[in-house]
Amino acid sequence: MQITSLRQGPAHIFLSFGVVAVLAFSSFSATAQATYYYDYPGTINGKSKIESLDDGLFGDEVSYIEGGVGFRVVDVVANTSVKLPLQFGRTMDPFADNLDSSDTQDREADKKIMILGPRWKPDIPSIVGVYPTRDGLYTGAKPRCSGGTLSPLAISIPSSPPILPYNFWYGMTANIPGHGKEKIWPLTPGSVVPSDNITYKFSTVSNWRVSCLSSLKNGPGEGYVIALPDGSRYFFDWLALRNVSSFSTSLATEARKEMYFLATKAIDKYGNSVIYEYDPVNPTHLTRMLASDGAEIRLTYGANGKLAEVVSGGRTWRYSYATMGGGKICNM
């Protein structure tokens, strides 16, 4: 190469020397040790980046669909390669009607059903609704899913107009950790559904598509399957019940129970899974969540029926309860 000036010459000589030096050093180090490369912005700058706070700073969340406020807290997250949520948390709606039964015996039974006290509920995959105990959707005598309707029948009153369902029934609500809680509605004609040859009957505002299971693992009647837009599916075929107050007017009194259809399995689009296990004697007592890679969360309960410990990855979270202001509170 021709050097046209003294200013350019040394510069080219210096760069040429640098290249030779680097090549020589690389040739030497290749046989002595491995070379590792680090993404400095990702590993260093990312740790020091301060993110803005969102509107759920204290676990609070506002439903822009229902206009209500609630709280969602995640207590335990298992270390797993499965992308499905493997975690245990709690939810609370401080302004919801607790629907406690007025019967003393029923209230005593409910102490073991409400595993976190009267207000906190376990944040596990579930479909929940309150039904009259005489209704066929409750007993399983009528197809509660394949029939295409979730609403119970009106209460017939002799010589008077019937009491319509919206007076005593509040719909069905699906809760899936990591995705939230949404009301289930009949699927409208022409709705887009997955092309998997499955018949879908219901949906939610976020396009959770609901199909039917022909039976439950521990009770009569049908169950449900929810397909999420990300390709994962949740199978709700474990039934648990809670006593709630009767619907009563001067014309009629109707006994009701809160029905929990709990998930026993979740599968993502790649075939990875999470299995949910429950106590057959106390159906609301979730005992284990097991991922297909072996990661798990175990739950144990005290003599009072309340959650006592959650164990995962060699660590233990303990729960205790105290009475304050007439209600139970949970401490960890």
Side-chain angles (χ1 to χ4, degrees), residues 308-327:
E309 291 183 348
V310 176
V311 179
S312 180
R315 302 180 64 187
T316 300
W317 289 259
R318 294 182 175 87
Y319 293 74
S320 60
Y321 304 85
T323 300
M324 178 178 292

Side-chain angles (χ1 to χ4, degrees), residues 194 196 200 207-211 225-229 231-234:
D196 49 15
Y200 292 90
N207 294 324
W208 303 357
R209 302 311 192 194
V210 184
S211 58
V225 180
I226 290 183
L228 298 181
S232 58
R233 295 179 181 272
Y234 287 77

Side-chain angles (χ1 to χ4, degrees), residues 15-30:
L15 290 175
S16 299
F17 175 77
V19 171
V20 173
V22 169
L23 291 175
F25 177 78
S26 300
S27 175
F28 170 77
S29 60

Side-chain angles (χ1 to χ4, degrees), residues 23 30 33 35 86 91 94 100 118 129 148 151 202 211 214 217 244 246 258 281 290 296 299 318 331:
L23 291 175
Q33 61 184 12
T35 302
L86 184 59
T91 64
D100 278 329
S151 175
F202 309 99
S211 58
S214 60
K217 293 184 181 297
V244 298
S246 298
E258 193 168 39
V281 178
L290 176 65
E296 66 175 356
L299 301 89
R318 294 182 175 87
N331 300 316

Side-chain angles (χ1 to χ4, degrees), residues 43-311:
T43 57
I44 306 300
N45 292 352
K47 299 295 184 181
S48 59
K49 181 181 178 181
I50 300 176
E51 297 183 355
S52 61
L53 300 177
D54 59 22
D55 56 2
L57 179 61
F58 298 101
D60 53 304
E61 54 185 16
V62 177
S63 172
Y64 297 103
I65 301 169
E66 301 174 350
V69 64
F71 293 86
R72 188 181 300 267
V73 179
V74 178
D75 293 337
V76 180
V77 178
N79 184 16
T80 176
S81 60
V82 176
K83 297 307 179 183
L84 294 164
L86 184 59
Q87 63 189 43
F88 178 78
R90 300 166 280 135
T91 64
M92 182 179 66
D93 183 352
F95 303 109
D97 184 357
N98 202 31
L99 295 175
D100 278 329
S101 171
S102 57
D103 184 89
T104 302
Q105 183 177 355
D106 286 345
R107 289 177 66 88
E108 288 300 314
D110 284 347
K111 289 182 179 179
K112 288 190 175 183
I113 295 174
M114 307 304 290
I115 66 174
L116 292 169
R119 283 297 180 186
W120 285 104
K121 295 182 179 181
D123 187 15
I124 57 180
S126 60
I127 297 176
V128 182
V130 176
Y131 280 88
T133 57
R134 291 190 302 175
D135 193 274
L137 295 178
Y138 170 83
T139 62
K142 291 169 54 180
R144 61 173 64 101
C145 178
S146 59
T149 178
L150 298 172
S151 175
L153 294 175
I155 301 174
S156 298
I157 307 296
S159 303
S160 296
I163 300 177
L164 299 179
Y166 66 78
N167 289 290
F168 58 88
W169 183 71
Y170 307 104
M172 296 285 279
T173 302
N175 178 74
I176 299 180
H179 296 274
K181 181 170 60 176
E182 298 190 2
K183 288 287 187 182
I184 298 177
W185 305 100
L187 192 65
T188 57
S191 297
V192 177
V193 297
S195 55
D196 49 15
N197 296 320
I198 294 176
T199 300
Y200 292 90
K201 292 291 186 178
F202 309 99
S203 184
T204 73
V205 69
S206 297
N207 294 324
W208 303 357
R209 302 311 192 194
V210 184
S211 58
C212 306
L213 287 172
S214 60
S215 63
L216 302 176
K217 293 184 181 297
N218 68 329
E222 297 176 332
Y224 306 91
V225 180
I226 290 183
L228 298 181
D230 65 4
S232 58
R233 295 179 181 272
Y234 287 77
F235 296 77
F236 299 88
D237 54 359
W238 184 266
L239 178 62
L241 303 172
R242 183 168 79 96
N243 298 299
V244 298
S245 57
S246 298
F247 173 77
S248 182
T249 71
S250 59
L251 299 174
T253 297
E254 193 77 7
R256 302 180 298 172
K257 285 184 182 288
E258 193 168 39
M259 303 182 72
Y260 290 83
F261 297 91
L262 303 174
T264 61
K265 180 173 61 175
I267 301 177
D268 68 13
K269 62 182 179 180
Y270 303 108
N272 303 306
S273 65
V274 173
I275 302 299
Y276 302 86
E277 299 176 359
Y278 304 88
D279 180 359
V281 178
N282 299 294
T284 59
H285 288 198
L286 175 68
T287 57
R288 185 168 75 149
M289 292 178 278
L290 176 65
S292 52
D293 66 353
E296 66 175 356
I297 295 177
R298 290 183 175 271
L299 301 89
T300 58
Y301 300 82
N304 61 355
K306 298 292 181 289
L307 179 65
E309 291 183 348
V310 176
V311 179

